[in-house]
């Protein structure tokens, strides 16, 4: 509020120009487009409504330049500053042209107080190599510094030492609780329906809260307001189809986009061919499907209403002779957004959302059956206000409330004759709330600050409240260099009971209780950003330090599945991490891409793990290097290469063994003796992928990818097995123990045909 | 159609190549600390038998020392009686699957609910291991049903009564009565989930006509339940990327293992059409 008071008497002899940037065919608002005035060299980015405000030193007619990735550069002469200038951008969809960008491309990154943020635009995501032919925005984030993947092929994100349970995924303001398909190998975000994705790994604006490590803010496309379109693709394992168009031309639009895998016919064929093979293990049926819906309606020049819907389901079934297993999981999301503009300075956005995630498992065998389910659902209301005092000063404030219901490990089992009945599980409610205010202010030409605070709380068996200060500052050393610092505190009131090794559909969301306190995270970070070689390159170097309290893990031997006292298996401790992230990007010319390098350490300390000694969590990765290169060979061909190197992660391996014979020796076994958690670092992970995009026609293309082109056998898992003793002449004694490594993905080619009509 | 041919070919290649690939690798493990291991079950009507050994490094060749861990001083005290176990390397072939033990006493154990047994071991290396156990109340098998299903197989249904007022732990083992007690099923569970005192357990194993089975219902105390579960978990954690690694939860101090008075009820079932 200090800055609000300071600016009340401030006057400017400059002219404010509002530019509204849209796609010329779909009328979709383009978020993050660069609006530049070449003479004054002032440049700004369009906001989430496609609008940018440019403060110009003169009221004479000026020519402005608008640039957006994947679109042709547009020049517009403006003489009337009183009304909003609407700019229609033309997509480069027919021919791939090199992007010509100058020093102002990175101006917004230099000017903004925001740091520790990564943005993925869908155009770039579609050019990169794919796994099994599916474009996945979350996998692109894994190529950015400070963000790591979990197991090979997984879309799980480990941000600056945090676990996957500490990431908040938002789809047009609604929380997505499990953003994964196929046990984490694909994300639920269909690239055809996504407009833009921002990932905050630090420096969180005050409007975000609820998770310690990151916020992934996904904005969905609005659909074409002027003409009907059909988009889609046929890939190696899945097919996509989308339809969009106007409901009322120029005023309202719809978009429906769906995906479905079709691998079952192949697996069923393999099963049928092997049905007479002795000891053949049937391949289970598996598929996932999802559908995105977006409806938009411009009520008036000042009001806009939209609806975002998502429904996705993974289905897995094993129709065996002895038993039948069915397992399904998925998210349902619905959001209604109402944006109202009081005037050019004051905006309000109200979102009412519903989100749920659940899994259901049923098993039937020999007169006995069980049904197991868990899930979480929430109803959320958000009200966000933005007031633009002027180009140098913006105030944001808002309120959020969320009503939660957690269904935890609900099991019903019994015999068909009802002689046996087993039931467990609990339904728990919770209520979360938050209020925030954030004030962004240019103190002078060099110094800009963004201060905010968030007051949050959670009501369950115990009431918790929290104070979350946020502070960011940017100091411009020169027109090409700026330094930034930030401090943020985040509180997490709901927790994902997950094994640290992977994210599974059976992971359970659990609320804070009298025993399980809210997780608390603090982070300080500093960065230097430099625009190099006339704006062709952008270099950023960030350092961070995080310290977290009330971290949750499982005690040794915890039972994660069907555990009526799950909370009793939680153990609590603290964690801290620090690191340095270097990022060099080139966005202009025929060759574009980036190099990222992260040097990081992550630590945990729990009284109940490793006898209270400090240890590294599984995804402590010392070095992480990524290279992404895209080269436009011709207007019709683009080649891309991604290469990653990461130090090995940690696993728990037994250092000894014990011979247990059991009561009568029937179950005699060598039992592994685990002394310490995460006591072995597996070999480093390296992989190179190649992608080729061939524009086969005006509205079609073929995307060919090779995953793991050098067929590197990366370690997925290490285990120990008995083997024949090489000194035994008869080769009958299994007395030697060897370590075996399982690698998951060898070289995998894939092909996808994309179309747009 | 060329595109679809390519697509089918690539899908087939992708699926076939995505199968697991395994190879032997060299893994230099952190050093392990050798612990004394003990396994001793007190069974009513049986003499006392105890297996004393040591844990081994993961890669250590599976061999026993020449002295078979002789030279230990071992006593079991109960109701004022001290039984001293002497070194006696044997393989148990009666009611057993060739179990090996190296210390024993001819003292026959009697079932007395609540009687406490104390273990004291001093090994030849001077290590001291202690532990105690007692017989808890028996839970009887009420009945066993063996109906044939439409695949001409039998799934047993084992009924017993659970005390809803107390937290109880159970283990059921089913073994062939004729072919060396070869075990066919094992279930470990607590009564936390049961809604009624009358419990029916239905192991999913198939049995055939003319099978002769021996069903044991063990009533476990919490330390023994934790030990069996931790042993199972430790075995499961080897090679399972989703498991939380488990340390063995022993009920003895100074070493690793189990000293346990066994409380069980036994019934034999002959399956006939």
């Amino acid at each position: 509020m200090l800055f609000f008071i300071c600016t009340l008497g401030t006057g400017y002899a400059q002219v404010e120009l509002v530019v509204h940037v849209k796609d010329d065919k779909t009328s979709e608002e383009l978020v993050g487009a660069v609006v530049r005035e070449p003479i004054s060299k002032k440049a700004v980015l369009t906001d989430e409504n496609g609008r940018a405000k440019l403060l110009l030193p003169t009221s004479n007619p000026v020519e402005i330049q608008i640039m957006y990735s994947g679109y042709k550069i547009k020049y517009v002469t403006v003489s009337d500053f009183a009304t909003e200038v609407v700019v229609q951008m033309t997509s480069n969809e027919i021919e791939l042209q090199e992007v010509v960008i100058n020093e102002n491309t990175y101006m917004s990154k230099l000017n903004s107080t925001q740091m520790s943020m990564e943005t993925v635009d869908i155009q770039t995501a579609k050019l990169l190599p794919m796994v099994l032919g599916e474009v996945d925005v979350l996998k692109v984030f894994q190529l950015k510094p400070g963000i790591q993947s979990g197991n090979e092929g997984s879309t799980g994100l480990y941000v600056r030492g945090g676990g996957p349970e500490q990431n908040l995924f938002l789809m047009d303001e609604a929380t997505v609780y499990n953003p994964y398909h196929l046990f984490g190998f694909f994300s639920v975000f269909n690239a055809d329906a996504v407009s833009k994705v921002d990932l905050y790994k630090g420096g969180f604006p005050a409007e975000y809260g609820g998770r310690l490590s990151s916020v992934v803010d996904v904005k969905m496309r609005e659909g074409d307001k002027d003409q009907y379109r059909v988009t889609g693709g046929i890939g190696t394992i899945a097919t996509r189809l989308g339809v969009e168009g106007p409901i009322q031309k120029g005023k309202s639009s719809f978009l429906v986009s769906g995906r479905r895998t079709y691998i079952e016919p192949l697996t069923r064929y393999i099963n049928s061919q092997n049905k007479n093979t002795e000891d053949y293990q049937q391949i289970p049926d598996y598929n996932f499907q999802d559908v995105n819906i977006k409806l938009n309606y411009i009520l008036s020049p000042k009001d806009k209403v939209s609806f975002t819907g998502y429904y996705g389901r993974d289905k897995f079934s094993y129709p065996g002779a002895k038993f039948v297993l069915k397992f399904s999981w998925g998210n349902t999301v619905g959001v209604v957004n109402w944006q109202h503009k009081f005037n050019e300075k004051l905006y309000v956005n109200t979102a009412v959302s519903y989100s749920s995630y659940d899994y259901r498992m049923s098993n039937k065998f020999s007169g006995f059956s069980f049904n197991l389910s868990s899930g979480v659902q929430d109803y959320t209301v958000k009200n966000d206000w933005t007031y633009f005092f002027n180009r140098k000063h913006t105030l944001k404030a808002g309120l959020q409330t969320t009503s939660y219901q957690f269904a935890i490990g609900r099991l019903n089992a019994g015999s068909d004759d009802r002689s046996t009945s087993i039931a467990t599980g609990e339904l728990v409610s919770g209520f979360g709330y938050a209020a925030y205010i954030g004030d962004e202010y240019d103190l002078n030409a060099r110094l800009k600050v963004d201060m905010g605070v968030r007051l949050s709380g959670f009501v369950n068996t115990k009431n918790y409240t929290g104070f979350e200060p946020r502070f960011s500052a940017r100091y411009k050393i020169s027109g090409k260099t700026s330094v930034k610092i930030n401090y943020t505190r985040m509180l997490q009131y709901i927790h994902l009971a997950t094994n640290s090794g992977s994210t599974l559909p059976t992971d359970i969301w659990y609320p804070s209780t009298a025993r399980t306190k809210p997780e608390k995270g603090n982070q300080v970070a500093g960065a230097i950003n430099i625009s190099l070689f006339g704006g062709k390159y952008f270099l950023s170097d960030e350092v961070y330090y995080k310290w977290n309290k009330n971290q949750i893990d499982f005690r040794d031997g915890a039972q994660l599945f069907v555990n009526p006292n799950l909370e009793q298996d939680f153990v609590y401790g603290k964690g801290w991490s620090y690191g340095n992230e270097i990022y060099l990007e080139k966005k202009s010319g025929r060759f574009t891409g980036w190099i990222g390098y992260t040097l990081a350490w992550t630590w945990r300390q729990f009284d109940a793990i490793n006898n209270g000694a400090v240890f590294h969590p599984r995804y402590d990765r010392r070095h992480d290097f990524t290279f992404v290169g895209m080269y436009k060979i011709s207007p019709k061909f683009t080649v891309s290469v991604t290469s990653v190197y990461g130090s090995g992660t940690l696993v728990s391996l037994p250092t000894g063994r014990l011979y247990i014979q059991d009561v009568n020796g029937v179950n005699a076994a060598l039992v592994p003796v685990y002394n310490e958690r995460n006591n072995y670092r597996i070999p480093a992970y390296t992989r190179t992928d190649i992608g080729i995009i061939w524009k086969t026609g005006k509205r079609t293309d073929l995307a060919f990818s090779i995953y793991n082109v050098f067929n590197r056998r990366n370690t997925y898992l290490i285990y120990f097995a008995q083997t024949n003793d090489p000194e035994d002449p008869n080769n009958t004694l299994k007395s030697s123990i060897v370590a075996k490594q399982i690698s998951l993905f060898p070289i995998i080619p894939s092909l996808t045909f994309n179309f747009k009509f | 159609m060329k595109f679809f041919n390519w697509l089918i070919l690539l899908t087939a290649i992708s699926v076939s190549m995505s199968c697991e690939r395994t190879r032997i690798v060299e893994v230099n493990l952190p050093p392990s600390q050798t612990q004394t291991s003990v396994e001793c079950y007190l069974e009513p009507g049986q003499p006392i038998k105890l297996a004393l050994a040591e844990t081994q490094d993961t890669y250590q060749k599976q061999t026993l020392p020449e002295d078979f861990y002789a030279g230990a001083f071992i006593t079991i005290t109960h109701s004022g009686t001290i039984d001293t176990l002497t070194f006696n390397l044997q393989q148990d072939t009666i009611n057993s699957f060739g179990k090996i033990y190296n210390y024993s006493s001819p003292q026959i154990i009697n079932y007395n609910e609540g009687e406490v047994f104390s273990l004291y071991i001093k090994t030849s290396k001077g290590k001291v291991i202690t532990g105690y156990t007692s017989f808890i109340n028996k839970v009887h098998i009420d009945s066993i049903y063996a109906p044939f299903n439409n695949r001409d197989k039998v799934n047993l249904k084992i009924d017993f009564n659970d005390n809803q007022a107390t937290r109880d732990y159970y283990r059921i083992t089913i073994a062939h009565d004729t072919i060396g007690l070869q075990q066919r099923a094992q279930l470990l569970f607590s009564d936390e989930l049961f809604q009624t005192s009358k419990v029916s357990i239905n192991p999913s194993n198939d049995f055939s006509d003319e099978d002769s089975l021996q069903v044991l219902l063990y009533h476990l105390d919490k330390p023994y339940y934790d030990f069996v579960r931790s042993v199972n978990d430790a075995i499961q954690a080897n090679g399972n990327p989703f498991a939380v690694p488990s340390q063995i939860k022993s009920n003895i101090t100074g070493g690793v293992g189990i000293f346990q008075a066994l409380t069980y009820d036994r019934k034999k079932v002959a399956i006939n059409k």
Side-chain angles (χ1 to χ4, degrees), chain A residues 36-42 57 61-63:
Chain A
R36 178 188 181 239
E37 197 279 301
I39 296 170
S40 66
K41 293 187 175 178
K42 288 179 181 292
V62 291
E63 184 181 63

Side-chain angles (χ1 to χ4, degrees), chain A residues 130-132 134-139 142 150-156 178-188 237 259 286 288 314 329 502-505 707 716 744-745 748, chain B residues 18 242:
Chain A
M130 298 169 245
V131 185
L132 296 170
E134 289 298 297
V135 177
D136 200 316
V137 290
L138 296 189
K139 284 202 169 76
Q142 292 171 351
N151 289 328
E152 181 168 23
S154 165
T155 55
N178 187 334
Y180 310 111
H181 283 305
L182 190 54
F183 303 98
F185 287 108
F186 297 105
S187 82
V188 298
I237 65 157
R259 288 188 294 180
Y286 171 80
F288 76 72
D314 287 56
W329 65 95
S502 52
T503 47
L504 289 173
Y707 179 88
Y716 176 72
L744 211 56
F745 292 131
I748 301 177
Chain B
S18 296
F242 308 122

